Amino acid sequence: MNMNPLCHQLYKVGKIGNINKEVITLLQKPNKVIQTNFPVKINNKTHHFKGFRVQHNNILGPYKGGIRFDKNVNINEVTNLASWMTLKCSLLDIPFGGGKGGVQFDLQSYNKEDTELIAKHYIKSIHKDIGSNHDIPAPDLGTNSMLIDVMLYEYNKLNKKQDYATFTGKSLTNYGSYFRKQSTGYGVGLVLNNYMKQTNMKFNSYILQGYGNVGRQLATYLHKNNPDMLCLAIGDHTGYIFNKNGINIDELNVFCDEGNDLVDFPNTDLISKDLFFALKTDVLIPAALEDQITVENAPNLKCKVIIEAANGPVSLEADTICKAKNIDVIPDILANSGGVLVSYFEWEQNKIKETWETSKLESKFYDKLNVISNEIFNNYLNNTNISLRDLCYIYSVKNIEQKYVNNNNNTVIIN
Ligand code: NAD
């Protein structure tokens, strides 16, 4: 059967988990795919851009998912990301479906003002398809709270309203949420620590690919909570740095805040991407892009566990190689789900016009992530013949199945 990897994965867990075939078929295809082409005048020259928004599934609630600005954004990538959002929201049992969007362009070729203009025109091209009860975008790779504020302003202007709940990941001045910035990275750290506790393992080192929002917050979390765990190497789009005695995260954060490139950080050696992935370490944390661990580099891995801070960084074939090498892969839909959890809290606060203190947000966040991750790891230790990825997918799809069947299939509104 010729299927894309995600459809194959759903087909597989449908069989293992004995899940309603109709639900599996529904989840294998997105409800709606929006593709736009829009011009933007930059320095008196017209540039043409391709924009996407994929609304994967809304059985559980309004579509929810980030907007990605990257030169490689394409319809397949956005569709996969939207599908993962459906599964992630369901795993946490939050009342959102899955969506994702993006614009295909090279961020390095445009300055801040150009990027803001591109963001505005992108929203102009999709504004009729989003809304706080229908589809709620957020930041992702290449976007941030400042760009989300620009998009929110444009959306409200075009729709003549003041609906702050249409976007999450906003700045605090635009009714964003405390703890949103930290949420994804801190969530990855928390899930990793729960894995260590449940398996009685102690990790002393990690390597990290990606030092953007997620990678940096995660390194900061580990520096605070796991001070004995050395960060041996970090990589980003500028290159990979290594220090066998550990990279000083506090100093690196100051260095990056000063506008320096990661590769210029002192007291480290530059290494190749191939060497980075072949380093001996306890934990490998991909926090940048999809398909970073593949059939090419997976055979060389020397880690004990991989935690997917990015979406889809381990290919299906690499997953099989990792299994054969006894490397556990903690899947993205669990590992990085802290981001959408606090996005949900942000949306709730906007809807009821409240602002919650960090302490309240942190306690709701840790409670929810602790419950679900401990349940998954417990169940995994009792069922060693099933991978963590398959287990998370089964939990997630079963939840969707239950809602679908309980509602006599009436909740499926494809619009
Ligand atoms: P970001 O734009 O803030 O950072 C991306 C990082 O990836 C940067 O350090 C960049 O240099 C690096 N990178 C880009 N291209 C690279 C390349 N070719 N090789 C190596 N490194 C490269 O993005 P982010 O928000 O930190 O998101 C990172 C990942 O986490 C993405 O997969 C995203 O979908 C996922 N994610 C993000 C959130 C969130 O809340 N931001 C939530 C869940 C999942």
Side-chain angles (χ1 to χ4, degrees), residues 68 70 81 88 100 139-143 180 183-184 209-215 235-238 240 273 287-290 292 309-311 336 339-340:
R68 176 172 285 203
D70 186 73
L81 290 163
K88 204 179 291 183
K100 206 78 179 192
D140 190 68
L141 192 90
T143 54
R180 173 63 185 88
S183 58
T184 309
Q209 184 200 38
Y211 211 65
N213 173 273
V214 178
D236 75 354
H237 69 281
T238 62
Y240 292 79
K273 182 176 173 180
L289 305 165
E290 297 88 76
Q292 294 303 296
N311 286 309
N336 68 32
V340 73

Side-chain angles (χ1 to χ4, degrees), residues 234-246:
I234 306 183
D236 75 354
H237 69 281
T238 62
Y240 292 79
I241 56 173
F242 169 73
N243 183 334
K244 69 174 173 14
N245 299 315

Side-chain angles (χ1 to χ4, degrees), residues 27-226:
L27 294 176
Q28 283 177 326
K29 292 223 165 61
N31 286 355
K32 189 166 175 179
V33 174
I34 300 150
Q35 184 168 333
T36 63
N37 295 293
F38 58 93
V40 183
K41 207 157 211 162
I42 295 169
N43 295 329
N44 288 325
K45 196 168 166 257
T46 304
H47 296 233
H48 293 269
F49 295 91
K50 225 180 231 170
F52 306 95
R53 186 77 194 165
V54 173
Q55 295 170 336
H56 176 254
N57 188 280
N58 62 350
I59 290 177
L60 297 187
Y63 304 104
K64 179 85 194 82
I67 292 171
R68 176 172 285 203
F69 285 179
D70 186 73
K71 60 179 186 298
N72 296 318
V73 164
N74 61 70
I75 198 64
N76 289 337
E77 178 184 77
V78 179
T79 304
N80 281 339
L81 290 163
S83 318
W84 286 324
M85 282 304 293
T86 301
L87 298 168
K88 204 179 291 183
C89 293
S90 178
L91 183 63
L92 291 186
D93 198 20
I94 51 182
F96 282 148
K100 206 78 179 192
V103 183
Q104 186 189 75
F105 72 101
D106 187 358
L107 270 174
Q108 311 304 326
S109 309
Y110 293 91
N111 64 26
K112 184 172 166 275
E113 287 71 31
D114 301 341
T115 308
E116 288 184 8
L117 215 54
I118 297 165
K120 272 189 191 176
H121 281 81
Y122 168 63
I123 289 305
K124 223 178 210 165
S125 78
I126 62 156
H127 76 277
K128 291 203 172 96
D129 284 295
I130 57 174
S132 65
N133 295 318
H134 179 59
D135 184 355
I136 306 139
D140 190 68
L141 192 90
T143 54
N144 53 27
S145 60
M146 184 267 298
L147 283 168
I148 292 294
D149 286 356
V150 168
M151 296 190 227
L152 170 76
Y153 180 81
E154 190 63 20
Y155 172 84
N156 278 334
K157 193 177 85 182
L158 290 166
N159 290 288
K160 298 189 177 51
K161 46 171 129 169
Q162 283 297 311
D163 191 352
Y164 291 94
T166 298
F167 291 82
T168 61
K170 305 174 292 284
S171 69
L172 289 174
T173 42
N174 275 311
Y175 302 99
S177 179
Y178 289 109
F179 200 60
R180 173 63 185 88
K181 194 170 105 186
Q182 295 91 335
S183 58
T184 309
Y186 276 40
V188 179
L190 182 77
V191 170
L192 180 65
N193 278 338
N194 283 338
Y195 173 87
M196 272 200 270
K197 271 186 225 143
Q198 298 283 338
T199 55
N200 276 325
M201 290 169 100
K202 168 134 178 43
F203 297 140
N204 299 311
S205 64
Y206 71 98
I207 60 176
L208 174 65
Q209 184 200 38
Y211 211 65
N213 173 273
V214 178
R216 182 170 166 167
Q217 294 299 334
L218 168 61
T220 307
Y221 175 96
L222 292 175
H223 183 58
K224 263 197 233 160
N225 295 283
N226 303 54

